[in-house]
Amino acid sequence: MIKTSLYHVTALWHGNFRAMALMLVAMFGFSGVAVAAYGNVTKDSVVDPGILKIEEKAFLGEKINYDFVLQDENGADFELGSLLGKPLILAFSYYTCDGACSVINKNLNETLKGVERWEMGQDYNVLTVSFDQHDTPATLVDFLQKAGFKDGVPSGWTMTTMREKENIVKLTGSMGFKFFWSPRDALFLHPNVYIMLSPKGRVTRYLYGGTISPVDMELAITKAMGEKIAAANVIDFVVGACYSYNYEDGKYTVNIPLFIAAGALIFGLLLIAGSFSYMKFWRVKT
């Protein structure tokens, strides 16, 4: 059994902390992280929050495996792929969490209530998946109460556990989502993020829980729909093109370069049209 703590690793290899921390994670295995609660990591372990950061550029545009089998609160099995065909908002949580996870799901529910253009279940789906291998449909039901879903989640939203526990590593890893058990705090450390998937299952955006607004979510859904543009909603995609995601602020902002380019194009076309009209006028006059 490996008894060396992450704290000791930092003392020995201070200059390469992140690399060594990731090596230790690989040694323990993501699927064994929850087991750390039972003594695999000493209580003086320290985890650098930096290694929780999602390397977005490495995963944006990547297509996930949608053959994973999930279980809902009733224990019914279904494949992740059954929720695709339209944009999917995915949130990773764990159901024995006393704080952040219930808040993440509550906030998402409130945010989606402010999305006016698209309707959950009809235009997009929402999925909450537990990354804790010890979660079951029973702990999921308890979590629904804590997260404020006493009457169940809205239509189009599914909360699940993983049927095959070893697939937790594959699913979270395919999107760059990292999590660690902290014995000192007796909880999982993980990013509070909503992951937007396109109708074909490609990662299109990471939206962080503390900053997301209904407008940001609506734009993210609109842009995720880009794989299947229909004549009826071309205007929505034109509107979506007018905004770009600002990684520094974590929000969508007006795409100023696009407006500058469009303005320059219009000015150029007007100039050309004006020149032809002027030349035609003088030819007629002479």
Side-chain angles (χ1 to χ4, degrees):
M1 181 179 295
I2 298 174
K3 296 184 178 179
T4 305
S5 68
L6 292 179
Y7 175 81
H8 294 144
V9 172
T10 58
L12 293 174
W13 293 281
H14 179 72
N16 297 302
F17 174 80
R18 292 190 180 185
M20 292 306 301
L22 290 174
M23 286 176 63
L24 280 176
V25 171
M27 292 167 66
F28 285 122
F30 273 120
S31 62
V33 172
V35 182
Y38 303 99
N40 283 1
V41 180
T42 56
K43 289 200 172 184
D44 60 348
S45 296
V46 175
V47 175
D48 177 7
I51 61 178
L52 292 170
K53 181 180 178 181
I54 297 173
E55 300 298 332
E56 295 189 21
K57 291 183 179 180
F59 295 94
L60 285 171
E62 291 297 312
K63 190 172 184 179
I64 68 166
N65 183 340
Y66 46 80
D67 294 331
F68 294 111
V69 178
L70 307 173
Q71 287 184 308
D72 63 19
E73 70 270 24
N74 299 314
D77 294 349
F78 67 95
E79 287 191 353
L80 174 58
S82 66
L83 297 179
L84 297 177
K86 58 186 69 173
L88 177 65
I89 303 170
L90 191 153
F92 285 114
S93 302
Y94 72 102
Y95 300 141
T96 56
C97 176
D98 292 326
C101 290
S102 58
V103 172
I104 291 171
N105 285 274
K106 282 181 182 178
N107 288 349
L108 179 57
N109 190 33
E110 291 302 314
T111 299
L112 293 175
K113 288 178 181 178
V115 174
E116 299 178 352
R117 177 64 186 88
W118 307 114
E119 183 178 343
M120 187 191 309
Q122 177 177 318
D123 301 307
Y124 67 93
N125 289 318
V126 183
L127 175 66
T128 300
V129 181
S130 171
F131 55 79
D132 184 353
Q133 65 176 336
H134 295 98
D135 270 325
T136 64
T139 58
L140 194 168
V141 171
D142 291 338
F143 180 78
L144 287 173
Q145 302 297 314
K146 292 189 293 184
F149 298 102
K150 295 181 179 179
D151 298 324
V153 290
S155 176
W157 189 334
T158 310
M159 290 197 179
T160 67
T161 57
M162 294 287 287
R163 176 63 182 271
E164 305 297 335
K165 305 304 181 182
E166 62 271 17
N167 283 336
I168 292 174
V169 180
K170 296 178 183 178
L171 181 59
T172 55
S174 69
M175 298 178 224
F177 183 90
K178 305 169 187 174
F179 56 94
F180 303 89
W181 177 260
S182 171
R184 181 181 60 185
D185 304 309
L187 50 74
F188 279 105
L189 302 177
H190 61 91
N192 298 330
V193 62
Y194 310 121
I195 304 174
M196 181 67 67
L197 301 178
S198 72
K200 292 184 179 179
R202 297 187 185 279
V203 178
T204 61
R205 182 62 60 222
Y206 295 90
L207 300 165
Y208 295 90
T211 61
I212 189 65
S213 69
V215 172
D216 291 324
M217 187 62 78
E218 187 167 308
L219 285 167
I221 295 170
T222 300
K223 286 178 175 287
M225 288 179 172
E227 288 179 348
K228 42 184 294 186
I229 299 176
N233 53 25
V234 167
I235 292 178
D236 293 308
F237 291 101
V238 172
V239 171
C242 294
Y243 293 84
S244 58
Y245 190 73
N246 187 316
Y247 287 91
E248 184 176 347
D249 297 332
K251 293 179 177 295
Y252 280 94
T253 55
V254 175
N255 194 342
I256 295 177
L258 178 64
F259 282 98
I260 294 175
L265 177 62
I266 293 172
F267 177 77
L269 292 174
L270 290 174
L271 185 62
I272 293 172
S275 298
F276 275 112
S277 298
Y278 181 77
M279 291 174 63
K280 185 176 181 180
F281 170 78
W282 278 107
R283 284 178 182 176
V284 172
K285 188 174 181 180
T286 57

